[in-house]
Amino acid sequence: MNSTSLNWIDEELAQLKEAGLYNQIRTIESPMGGRVVINGRSLLNFCANNYLGLANHPRICQAAKDGIDQYGVGPGAVRTIAGTMSLHVALEQRLAAFKKAEACITFQSGFTANLATIPALVGRGDLIFSDELNHASIIDATRLSRATVIRYAHNDVDDLQRQIVAAPTGGRRLIVTDGVFSMDGDVAPLDKICDVAEQHDIVLMVDDAHGEGVLGEGGRGIVDHFGLHGRVHIEVGTLSKAFGVVGGLVAGRQSIIDWLRQRGRPFLFSSAMTAPDVAACLEAVNLLEESTELVERLWANGNLFKAELTRLGFDTGHSDTPIVPVMLGEAPLAQQFSRRLFEEGVFAMAIGYPTVPQGKARIRVMNSAAHSQQDLEQALDIFERVGRELSVIGNQ
Ligand SMILES: *Cc1c(COP(=O)(O)O)cnc(C)c1O
């Protein structure tokens, strides 16, 4: 094949590499844990969304194996055609109870949960009020819906109010926000957003991917954190972060969940989660309901890491959660910082434009209950050493 019609891809790839924006993906030779093995070396892992250390928890692994023994692996087809396994039904019931919601539906991922939900609720001629920093899967879902998207300033309830008042009132309306914004670790003011939604009788949806297993009593999420049960219409979540497995969920009113079973396109046209995934998620719910210990350890680790980095003189932004951004400014410095951490034994990712604004490049530290006190002390020593070497913090 000698075609020039795809040359542009090579050119684009070369440009990405030149700008330092080409994704180099590390190969992990071990389970995802507080430490990972890369190129035969064991490193402290501060990259994963494995908040509670469940990705390689012995009980979750065993549950996945038992799930295979009882149900095999694949679901065979979409659930509306080949039927649904009792395992999936059980997980949805358990998740609804855990979230204190009327009902729950699961999807292949958090991404597809958004793609299913937003276009099922609004369409052409309708309005979506969307936080300007919402996750890519929300942005894609709003586009798929063909509704008009009105972006409001990040976490700015007054701006949301203004935009609503200025917009037409005919048609259906939806407000959508991330629960926790994962690049900064800040939390949406969902209580105030909820007041505005009720004042204007607008449907409210929160995507709590980074709040699931983190916020609220025993990790029940942002709705529980603010005590808004029954007032937030749709709670989207993921089973691939704190739950340590893979999958997505929507919890809310029974009628909404019934509607998504009829009109959620990734539900109708893409197969369900596999049996071992579902069995593993069921065990994750068991663990979360049995004890709040892992959630508490996650917060203790996050708070310690944040306090110590701040004490050392790092700028750790405005996080309200165990996510700790270490603000460095320009992307090349963040990349160099990440590379030096890696050489010293810490795997922590540099994040730059366009994921975060120009000049706001950072190392994003993802804390986890999987880290021991010793892991944290070792990582902090390495941050301090690299910080001094690159003159990010002073040499007192
Ligand atoms: C990670 C994330 C998703 C996607 O979840 P997956 O289960 O990985 O597909 C969706 N929304 C938000 C806000 C996220 O952070």
Side-chain angles (χ1 to χ4, degrees):
M1 280 225 293
N2 186 13
S3 159
T4 55
S5 58
L6 288 175
N7 285 357
W8 67 270
I9 295 186
D10 294 327
E11 288 158 18
E12 291 279 338
L13 288 171
Q15 273 176 25
L16 286 178
K17 284 178 187 161
E18 212 166 295
L21 297 172
Y22 186 84
N23 288 323
Q24 294 287 0
I25 301 175
R26 301 279 187 190
T27 303
I28 310 287
E29 296 143 11
S30 66
M32 202 46 93
R35 289 181 164 269
V36 284
V37 177
I38 301 175
N39 298 332
R41 281 172 65 218
S42 170
L43 290 107
L44 288 159
N45 179 18
F46 288 90
C47 290
N49 302 318
N50 180 26
Y51 287 112
L52 303 177
L54 300 188
N56 187 38
H57 191 287
R59 272 178 58 187
I60 307 253
C61 296
Q62 187 59 47
K65 291 174 195 162
D66 294 345
I68 291 178
D69 288 344
Q70 210 178 340
Y71 290 91
V73 178
V78 301
R79 295 161 75 181
T80 46
I81 291 176
T84 193
M85 289 173 179
S86 48
L87 202 57
H88 293 70
V89 176
L91 177 61
E92 288 167 347
Q93 286 170 348
R94 290 292 304 283
L95 284 170
F98 179 69
K99 309 283 293 177
K100 300 180 188 163
E102 271 180 33
C104 173
I105 179 172
T106 55
F107 293 92
Q108 306 80 4
S109 69
F111 202 112
T112 56
N114 279 324
L115 294 190
T117 306
I118 296 178
L121 294 174
V122 285
R124 213 186 287 281
D126 297 333
L127 291 182
I128 301 171
F129 300 93
S130 178
D131 187 291
E132 64 180 345
L133 295 188
N134 274 343
H135 188 260
S137 57
I138 294 179
I139 295 171
D140 287 7
T142 62
R143 288 179 182 153
L144 263 180
S145 77
R146 296 190 171 94
T148 301
V149 180
I150 299 177
R151 298 191 339 156
Y152 63 89
H154 175 53
N155 277 352
D156 186 338
V157 182
D158 294 332
D159 189 46
L160 170 63
Q161 178 81 272
R162 275 194 297 277
Q163 303 272 9
I164 291 170
V165 171
T169 52
R172 300 183 190 138
R173 293 179 296 169
L174 175 72
I175 298 171
V176 59
T177 182
D178 276 23
V180 175
F181 291 82
S182 64
M183 291 304 145
D184 291 287
D186 52 337
V187 175
L190 197 64
D191 49 348
K192 300 196 181 75
I193 295 175
C194 191
D195 290 341
V196 172
E198 286 175 351
Q199 187 189 335
H200 296 278
D201 191 20
I202 302 178
V203 175
L204 176 57
M205 164 171 167
V206 63
D207 176 350
D208 202 26
H210 283 273
E212 211 81 66
V214 176
L215 293 176
E217 189 214 342
R220 280 167 176 75
I222 191 169
V223 170
D224 189 80
H225 171 76
F226 283 110
L228 298 172
H229 303 284
R231 292 179 60 196
V232 176
H233 301 97
I234 301 136
E235 232 184 308
V236 169
T238 179
L239 302 166
S240 14
K241 289 176 178 149
F243 275 68
V245 190
V246 74
L249 70 106
V250 180
R253 208 163 291 182
Q254 184 73 51
S255 59
I256 295 173
I257 304 309
D258 289 345
W259 179 242
L260 292 176
R261 287 207 177 85
Q262 305 304 315
R263 285 292 179 272
R265 288 172 69 84
F267 184 84
L268 297 173
F269 298 108
S270 183
S271 296
M273 293 167 70
T274 71
D277 289 335
V278 179
C281 287
L282 268 165
E283 190 63 12
V285 180
N286 287 338
L287 280 164
L288 285 168
E289 287 191 337
E290 274 168 32
S291 162
T292 57
E293 190 198 325
L294 290 174
V295 179
E296 282 156 20
R297 194 182 311 157
L298 164 69
W299 280 89
N301 285 355
N303 289 339
L304 180 111
F305 214 89
K306 202 182 299 176
E308 285 301 302
L309 284 181
T310 309
R311 192 181 59 78
L312 289 169
F314 287 101
D315 173 0
T316 56
H318 307 284
S319 173
D320 308 312
T321 61
I323 297 171
V324 184
V326 181
M327 309 304 286
L328 293 170
E330 296 309 318
L333 174 61
Q335 283 188 342
Q336 192 187 5
F337 203 104
S338 175
R339 208 162 38 239
R340 285 291 299 126
L341 289 175
F342 191 85
E343 286 160 6
E344 297 294 323
V346 167
F347 182 35
M349 197 50 83
I351 296 182
Y353 182 80
T355 308
V356 295
Q358 299 267 21
K360 298 257 183 189
R362 66 199 66 183
I363 301 288
R364 189 181 55 160
V365 176
M366 299 303 280
N367 284 290
S368 169
H371 294 130
S372 67
Q373 183 78 20
Q374 201 192 344
D375 290 340
L376 297 181
E377 283 164 14
Q378 196 182 341
L380 285 162
D381 280 348
I382 294 171
F383 265 88
E384 180 174 7
R385 199 174 328 139
V386 174
R388 291 198 198 292
E389 174 191 310
L390 299 181
S391 301
V392 172
I393 53 173
N395 269 307
Q396 63 268 43

